[in-house]
Amino acid sequence: MSAPATTSRLTRRGIPVDPRLRVLALGTFVNRAGAGATVTTFALYFTRVVGLSAAQVGLALSIAAVVGMLAQVPLGHLGDTRGPREVMSALTAGFGAVGLLFLVVRDFWTLTLVLAVVTALQNGGGSVRNGYIGRIAVGGSGVAFKAYLRAVTNLAMSLGAALGGIALWVDRPWAYLAVFAVDGVTGIVAGLVSLRLPHLSPAPARGAGEPRLAVLRDTPYVVVTLLTGIVAMHFVVMEIGIPLWVSQHTKAPTAIVAVLLVLNTVAVTLFQVRMTRGVDGVVESSRTMVHGALWIAVAFAVIATSGWLGPVGAAAVLVVGAAVHVVGEMRSSGGQWGVQMGLAPQERQGQYQGFAGLGFSLSNVVAPTLITLLCIEWGWPGWLVLAALVLGAALALRPVTAWAQRTRERYGALSATG
């Protein structure tokens, strides 16, 4: 099925012009609002109400994360071969249905099993959705779609977190269970909503000798994924590095951490689409990633100076650093999407986007320890080393993406866009 002609205008009064993006945005909003509520309450419910230890909950989350990593490529491939719309709908609705089992979980092993299945379905659904976007909206349109959906995700997660906050304020078992029920139902609804998307034909059958998961043999794309994963460590910095840095190395009030989080969320919601305009094609996308990484590196250098200042000065510098960082975050995200979608063959976007997501997943595994060692244990020099690491990975993407483009025919990715 060929994509309809794209319009230069993405939205009208904030509503997507493209009907496919409207459906994707509605499903994303419904699904992520429920998830935002669960994320806010999950750990407290299973420790304070169910009675599991924090270590048990953490271990269950870690095991589920590994299972999710292993599932996202084959499930993305399933979307390619069985039809992305139908598989995305089934995985998303399945995520919601299995999530309802949290209502009856009362021990560690059951929690681990349910959480692993939920995470696998969630990651797989994300892979298929990204593959669907890669097929219907090529080049700059794909980046614009992703940017809009990221803004929608931030808004939905914020509203969901507010709902979770109400459950925390009530602090009764029924309130936490109501959150899990809402999350499950919204997942099922999101799965049904995705059926309103146009049907896309499954990928052609594999040729003789063609590997089932071709992305695993696409060496340039593997290197691209590793480098984008290194750049993506900056997300973990804001989630883990900043709170620890503020509390252990600065005189700023710890409440500033919440201010920085709100600043990031609001900025992405309002400006992510605008910050990715003009990003079209692999070459421009790799250049945009360098620009974004440069902003991130400057932000880390600014944040490093906050440890030398008094309470007011440190707080002000942290706000400036966070503002600079979010610009880099939005720019580098747009560049990453353009590179990852542009180098993938159209008929295998699902498995390729599933593999691309491994870079982010691996970053979440490695980055917490690395950031703690560099920025918290070492101090301000560690921020500069981390800045150099992120910027160096982005710079390396320029020649690597050029190599990937030259070798698309060798790896059977002739339909990739440049």
Side-chain angles (χ1 to χ4, degrees):
M1 172 180 176
S2 60
T6 57
T7 176
S8 59
R9 187 171 186 176
L10 184 68
T11 64
R12 183 177 291 112
R13 296 182 179 177
I15 304 301
V17 174
D18 192 310
R20 301 165 302 178
L21 182 55
R22 287 201 296 271
V23 175
L24 287 166
L26 177 60
T28 297
F29 182 86
V30 171
N31 195 14
R32 293 294 85 196
T38 293
V39 167
T40 306
T41 58
F42 184 87
L44 284 178
Y45 171 76
F46 282 103
T47 52
R48 294 176 55 183
V49 178
V50 175
L52 300 179
S53 68
Q56 287 177 311
V57 173
L59 179 59
L61 287 167
S62 297
I63 294 172
V66 173
V67 173
M69 286 175 56
L70 296 175
Q72 59 196 54
V73 176
L75 288 178
H77 173 66
L78 183 65
D80 294 334
T81 57
R82 300 297 182 184
R85 183 192 68 175
E86 291 75 15
V87 174
M88 176 170 50
S89 174
L91 292 176
T92 306
F95 159 81
V98 177
L100 291 173
L101 295 177
F102 285 130
L103 297 171
V104 296
V105 168
R106 295 294 182 270
D107 62 83
F108 168 74
W109 291 111
T110 307
L111 173 64
T112 302
L113 177 61
V114 173
L115 195 56
V117 175
V118 163
T119 305
L121 293 170
Q122 181 182 33
N123 288 13
S127 298
V128 179
R129 185 191 72 162
N130 290 337
Y132 187 94
I133 294 170
R135 288 186 61 181
I136 66 171
V138 298
S141 296
V143 174
F145 272 38
K146 293 273 288 183
Y148 186 83
L149 292 176
R150 183 162 186 252
V152 169
T153 296
N154 267 33
L155 176 61
M157 291 290 287
S158 299
L159 294 176
L163 175 62
I166 294 175
L168 293 175
W169 175 69
V170 174
D171 197 23
R172 293 289 188 274
W174 65 264
Y176 295 109
L177 294 175
V179 165
F180 297 152
V182 168
D183 191 14
V185 171
T186 55
I188 295 172
V189 171
L192 296 175
V193 166
S194 65
L195 289 175
R196 298 176 59 191
L197 290 165
H199 168 77
L200 299 183
S201 300
R206 289 181 295 129
E210 184 180 346
R212 182 179 298 274
L213 296 178
V215 66
L216 300 180
R217 300 188 183 185
D218 191 339
T219 305
Y221 200 87
V222 171
V223 178
V224 165
T225 298
L226 290 174
L227 291 174
T228 54
I230 293 173
V231 176
M233 289 194 301
H234 72 87
F235 287 104
V236 183
V237 168
M238 299 308 293
E239 295 169 1
I240 296 176
I242 290 295
L244 294 176
W245 174 258
V246 169
S247 63
Q248 297 184 26
H249 289 272
T250 78
K251 297 178 181 178
T254 54
I256 196 68
V257 172
V259 174
L260 303 182
L261 178 61
V262 171
L263 170 64
N264 181 277
T265 303
V266 172
V268 171
T269 301
L270 295 178
F271 302 115
Q272 178 67 78
V273 174
R274 185 176 303 176
M275 293 298 292
T276 54
R277 286 176 183 166
V279 180
D280 188 0
V282 173
V283 174
E284 176 61 29
S285 296
S286 64
R287 188 181 298 121
T288 301
M289 279 207 72
V290 174
H291 294 165
L294 182 59
W295 279 85
I296 292 168
V298 171
F300 288 173
V302 170
I303 290 169
T305 66
S306 63
W308 306 335
L309 305 173
V312 176
V317 165
L318 287 167
V319 170
V320 171
V324 174
H325 170 267
V326 76
V327 173
E329 175 184 328
M330 291 185 285
R331 291 293 289 170
S332 64
S333 293
Q336 176 184 326
W337 300 329
V339 168
Q340 292 172 340
M341 287 189 292
L343 290 175
Q346 290 298 94
E347 70 278 5
R348 293 199 293 267
Q349 281 283 357
Q351 66 166 274
Y352 267 71
Q353 298 316 311
F355 188 84
L358 289 179
F360 189 81
S361 298
L362 290 172
S363 176
N364 283 333
V365 172
V366 175
T369 300
L370 181 63
I371 290 167
T372 301
L373 290 175
L374 288 177
C375 303
I376 309 306
E377 299 298 330
W378 191 2
W380 70 265
W383 285 99
L384 303 184
V385 172
L386 188 62
L389 185 61
V390 169
L391 182 57
L395 289 169
L397 269 170
R398 296 298 303 280
V400 170
T401 52
W403 168 42
Q405 284 186 295
R406 291 194 305 269
T407 56
R408 291 301 78 201
E409 181 176 1
R410 182 189 309 172
Y411 295 102
L414 294 176
S415 57
T417 60

